[in-house]
Amino acid sequence: MAMGSGFNQETKTGAFFMATLLIWVFSVLWEILINKRKELFPIVLGFIFYQSANWVIPKLLRNRDPLFVNTCVSLLHSSTTSASVLFILVNQSMISNGVNVNQMFEHSQLVEHTWPWAFTALCFSCGYFAYDQLDMLLNRLYSGWIPSILLHHFLLLICFTLALYRNVTINYLILTLICELHSVFLHLRKVRRMAGFRDCNGSIFVKAEWVLNWTSFVLARVVSHILITVKLIRDASKFDKGGVELPLALFGMAGMNLLNTFLGIDLFKAYRREMNPQRSRQNHHD
């Protein structure tokens, strides 16, 4: 009876997030087709690109497990997004040649202006989150009454889409995507383990992977998000009074920092298990 109740609750949860996703799709298509916002079309291209990858990967790797395929596509997204963010930052620093690079991170630059390719990159990434939300819902790659991954994507789609519609804080959002550098190693580890390579004993590759995993976690996720939060607080007086940009940004960063804390705890537990496989097995038997 309890299992049936839990299943029904997850079904209701899936229906809720599917409904919100369909509303989001209608909103985006309305903006593109009715309001002639052609600059938003990369959202559609992003969705098509990652959905196509979802169809191609099972044939290339001969593994049709939905979770494995989903993780591979997530690895593709984190790699593509990381490269895009680095390209945007390097390109903007070259454009600012002879000018103080710190001006790139002034309030007006981050809120009112948009670096070259930043708008397109954000649209493309937005298309991925829509694809991933749909894939997880269709294949039930979630659990619990309020799945954190579905809620995460739901909030990101709202924040990203509102920013794209109003063409504000685009550069701020690009900076938050620096965390995808860490996601590369996070997904790489998951793919490795799902492929059957679990033991760390004597594996230089796995140990190097953990070094990169921890380094990118601290620098690209923890430090970068804390710096963005501090920047928002310091520049709070520069935001328009009564606007939604600052409250939405602070709420979003608070959520990200909280998720980073939980992720760090889970990462540490996984690290201990993988570095001490025999001890982990012993505790499991005990």
Side-chain angles (χ1 to χ4, degrees):
M1 188 73 177
M3 290 180 62
S5 177
F7 179 79
N8 290 334
Q9 185 61 46
E10 287 190 10
T11 301
K12 292 178 181 179
T13 298
F16 168 77
F17 281 106
M18 180 63 80
T20 59
L21 183 61
L22 291 176
I23 293 173
W24 176 86
V25 170
F26 177 80
S27 172
V28 171
L29 292 179
W30 180 274
E31 287 294 320
I32 295 174
L33 299 176
I34 306 302
N35 292 337
K36 310 297 183 182
R37 298 286 303 277
K38 296 180 180 179
E39 68 274 16
L40 296 172
F41 191 68
I43 296 177
V44 179
L45 293 180
F47 179 89
I48 294 174
F49 175 78
Y50 290 109
Q51 182 60 63
S52 299
N54 183 281
W55 291 330
V56 172
I57 287 175
K59 297 178 181 179
L60 289 178
L61 302 182
R62 297 182 179 180
N63 188 331
R64 296 184 178 278
D65 176 29
L67 182 58
F68 178 79
V69 175
N70 180 273
T71 306
C72 287
V73 177
S74 296
L75 176 59
L76 175 63
H77 167 256
S78 57
S79 302
T80 304
T81 304
S82 298
S84 300
V85 171
L86 290 176
F87 169 77
I88 290 168
L89 293 175
V90 171
N91 181 62
Q92 183 61 27
S93 66
M94 293 176 65
I95 292 175
S96 304
N97 187 27
V99 182
N100 190 349
V101 178
N102 290 333
Q103 291 185 3
M104 285 176 55
F105 305 108
E106 290 183 350
H107 176 78
S108 61
Q109 283 290 321
L110 295 175
V111 176
E112 300 170 7
H113 295 79
T114 303
W115 297 323
W117 299 102
F119 192 94
T120 302
L122 198 62
C123 283
F124 207 75
S125 195
C126 204
Y128 160 77
F129 289 117
Y131 143 77
D132 200 41
Q133 189 84 325
L134 179 63
D135 187 57
M136 287 187 293
L137 286 168
L138 293 178
N139 292 296
R140 296 189 67 86
L141 302 178
Y142 62 91
S143 60
W145 292 8
I146 307 178
S148 59
I149 187 64
L150 295 182
L151 184 61
H152 170 266
H153 284 16
F154 171 69
L155 293 176
L156 278 184
L157 284 173
I158 291 176
C159 293
F160 281 21
T161 308
L162 286 176
L164 289 169
Y165 284 177
R166 304 182 65 181
N167 199 14
V168 293
T169 67
I170 302 299
N171 294 340
Y172 254 124
L173 292 174
I174 287 295
L175 291 178
T176 65
L177 288 176
I178 292 175
C179 68
E180 291 299 333
L181 282 166
H182 172 246
S183 296
V184 171
F185 302 105
L186 207 60
H187 296 314
L188 185 63
R189 174 182 175 273
K190 190 174 180 180
V191 169
R192 168 178 61 78
R193 291 178 61 81
M194 293 179 72
F197 301 98
R198 292 174 173 268
D199 292 334
C200 182
N201 293 344
S203 175
I204 297 177
F205 172 80
V206 174
K207 291 178 180 179
E209 176 195 282
W210 269 112
V211 171
L212 293 171
N213 205 324
W214 278 116
T215 303
S216 59
F217 172 75
V218 172
L219 297 179
R221 193 175 289 275
V222 177
V223 173
S224 67
H225 285 173
I226 289 177
L227 289 176
I228 292 172
T229 305
V230 171
K231 174 69 174 173
L232 286 170
I233 295 173
R234 290 181 59 183
D235 290 347
S237 61
K238 298 178 181 179
F239 281 88
D240 292 337
K241 293 182 179 179
V244 298
E245 289 85 0
L246 180 60
L248 195 61
L250 288 175
F251 175 77
M253 292 312 303
M256 285 189 175
N257 288 317
L258 184 61
L259 288 174
N260 289 343
T261 301
F262 293 137
L263 178 59
I265 294 172
D266 291 340
L267 206 59
F268 180 70
K269 291 179 180 178
Y271 174 77
R272 290 186 62 185
R273 286 196 305 268
E274 203 155 303
M275 290 296 138
N276 300 282
Q278 293 181 348
R279 183 179 179 181
S280 178
R281 293 192 195 99
Q282 183 178 1
N283 293 338
H284 178 72
H285 288 306
D286 293 342

